[in-house]
Structures are given as structure tokens and as C-alpha cells.
């Protein structure tokens, strides 16, 4: 009976380890985002359907920046460009308070109405994985 209990304990531990390694990115996305909510610092209309914006946000963890995804309230992808002169938008920013921009957005919707996600690659004990942080929920 003791051998059976030991076997069951080892099986349970193996299954728990497999489940954690499979669900870890989703858990981190939900409970430990890399960046916080954005706040508009400055924005202006450039042309019809084109605007530029500077935003501020906090970065909580040291993970590598992959990119941004933006959707309008109708669910369509919003095209955008990073226009900063130093090229900082293409690289990972340090932890703490950050200001980014200008971002050129090709949409008639205000930035506060957009759903914006930041994608980062984080390094962990079980390998590298991607974390998606919601920077603006579009509400």
C-alpha cells in the first residue's frame, strides 16, 4: 500500500508540474503583467484618420519587448508606427515609469477607445515564454 501511495504522489506531482508549465504564460498574463495601463500624455490629429500620441505607463518586470497589438472598438486591427527619433520604442524599456511616443495611429477612434496589448518575452525557470499585458481595455 505504501508503494501505491508513493506512486500516486509521484504521478500527482508530475501532472501538477506539467499543468503549471503549460498554463504558466496564461497565469502570468492574468496575474503578473509586464506593463501597466497606459495614460495619454499628449495627442493630436495629424490628418483625417491619422493621429499622434505620447503615452505613459509603468513597467513592472524585466522582460524583452516584442511588440504592440491595437484593435478598434469594432475589432479591426489598427495600424501604427513608432516615430521616436531615438529608436527606444523598438527596444525593451527599463522597469519603472516610462513615456513613449510619438506613436502614429491610423484610426478615427481616440486612443482611449482602443484595445492595446503589449507582448513581451520573459525568461523563466522552465524556459522562455510570452506574456501579453493589456495596456488599454478600450472602455
Amino acid at each position: 500500500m505504501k508503494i501505491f501511495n508513493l506512486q500516486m504522489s509521484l504521478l500527482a506531482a508530475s501532472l501538477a508540474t506539467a499543468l503549471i508549465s503549460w498554463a504558466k504564460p496564461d497565469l502570468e498574463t492574468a496575474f503578473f503583467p509586464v506593463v501597466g495601463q497606459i495614460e495619454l500624455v499628449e495627442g493630436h490629429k495629424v490628418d483625417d484618420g491619422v493621429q499622434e500620441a505620447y503615452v505613459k505607463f509603468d513597467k513592472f518586470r524585466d522582460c524583452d519587448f516584442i511588440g504592440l497589438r491595437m484593435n478598434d472598438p469594432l475589432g479591426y486591427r489598427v495600424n501604427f508606427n513608432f516615430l521616436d527619433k531615438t529608436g527606444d520604442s523598438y527596444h525593451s524599456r527599463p522597469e519603472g515609469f516610462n513615456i513613449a511616443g510619438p506613436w502614429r495611429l491610423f484610426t478615427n477612434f481616440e486612443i482611449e477607445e482602443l484595445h492595446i496589448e503589449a507582448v513581451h518575452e520573459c525568461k523563466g525557470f522552465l524556459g522562455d515564454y510570452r506574456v501579453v499585458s493589456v495596456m488599454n481595455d478600450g472602455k
Side-chain angles (χ1 to χ4, degrees), residues 28 32-35 59-63 93 95 122 129 131:
E28 293 220 21
F32 304 106
V34 176
V35 294
K59 184 172 182 188
F60 306 124
R61 300 169 47 200
D62 185 26
C63 296
R93 294 179 179 271
E95 291 178 59
C122 301
Y129 53 92
V131 175

Side-chain angles (χ1 to χ4, degrees), residues 35-40 55-57 68-73 103 105 109-118 132-139:
V35 294
Q37 295 286 306
I38 61 168
E39 187 176 325
L40 182 65
V55 298
K56 63 182 178 179
F57 61 93
L68 293 177
R69 297 190 294 227
M70 295 187 197
N71 291 354
D72 69 23
W103 295 348
L105 311 172
F109 290 98
E110 300 293 326
I111 193 167
E112 293 87 357
E113 298 176 274
L114 303 179
H115 182 84
I116 303 173
E117 298 176 332
V132 177
S133 305
V134 177
M135 296 183 78
N136 195 57
D137 60 10
K139 295 180 183 175

Side-chain angles (χ1 to χ4, degrees), residues 85-104:
K85 305 293 186 229
T86 62
D88 283 344
S89 290
Y90 298 100
H91 302 289
S92 293
R93 294 179 179 271
E95 291 178 59
F97 176 77
N98 286 277
I99 294 180
W103 295 348
R104 179 164 284 175

Side-chain angles (χ1 to χ4, degrees), residues 68-86:
L68 293 177
R69 297 190 294 227
M70 295 187 197
N71 291 354
D72 69 23
L74 303 175
Y76 293 104
R77 182 76 51 160
V78 172
N79 291 321
F80 65 94
N81 298 107
F82 296 125
L83 298 178
D84 60 333
K85 305 293 186 229
T86 62

